[in-house]
Amino acid sequence: GSERPMGLPVTEFTYAFTTPEEYLNWVPEASARPDDLAVTIPAMYEALQNVYAHNAEGSVLMATPSSLSPPTRHHQLFRDVPPFADNATLAAAVSGRLDEMQGHYFRGVR
């Protein structure tokens, strides 16, 4: 395996190198969902805006369902940041969909 200079995959960080909307470019048409642009992407950007507004990029990880266990010193986007902090259903739906979109991305860049 390759080393991870940042300690975790870059996709774990809220200042990741790929924005949520960019993942849509890798989702095959057959796997696209109407909620991607109506719910998933807007919720992701709302949460990320909350992170950036509080200068918390260094202490909040994405932590999707397939993520490595994040270090305890970090908060988790889908657990601790609005709109997900108060809506577990939305958090599960969006984090699960982000996992799927990242899977398409990873398969596409190999």
Side-chain angles (χ1 to χ4, degrees), residues 20-65:
E21 195 168 5
E22 287 178 89
Y23 288 122
L24 292 176
N25 295 322
W26 297 92
V27 175
E29 190 174 323
S31 298
R33 297 182 187 169
D35 280 354
D36 288 343
L37 289 173
V39 177
T40 303
I41 299 302
M44 286 293 308
Y45 281 131
E46 180 180 344
L48 290 170
Q49 182 59 39
N50 277 308
V51 170
Y52 302 148
H54 291 93
N55 295 319
E57 303 89 64
S59 64
V60 177
L61 294 177
M62 299 295 269
T64 62

Side-chain angles (χ1 to χ4, degrees), residues 6 9-20 22-23 44 48 52 57 60 62 98 102:
M6 297 173 72
V10 295
T11 54
E12 295 292 323
F13 295 91
T14 53
Y15 49 83
F17 299 89
T18 304
T19 66
E22 287 178 89
Y23 288 122
M44 286 293 308
L48 290 170
Y52 302 148
E57 303 89 64
V60 177
M62 299 295 269
L98 180 61
Q102 286 176 338

Side-chain angles (χ1 to χ4, degrees), residues 38-94:
V39 177
T40 303
I41 299 302
M44 286 293 308
Y45 281 131
E46 180 180 344
L48 290 170
Q49 182 59 39
N50 277 308
V51 170
Y52 302 148
H54 291 93
N55 295 319
E57 303 89 64
S59 64
V60 177
L61 294 177
M62 299 295 269
T64 62
S66 68
S67 297
L68 302 172
S69 296
T72 56
R73 71 180 189 275
H74 287 94
H75 295 285
Q76 296 179 22
L77 187 78
F78 296 105
R79 183 191 67 200
D80 303 321
V81 179
F84 306 120
D86 298 324
N87 190 335
T89 302
L90 180 65
V94 173

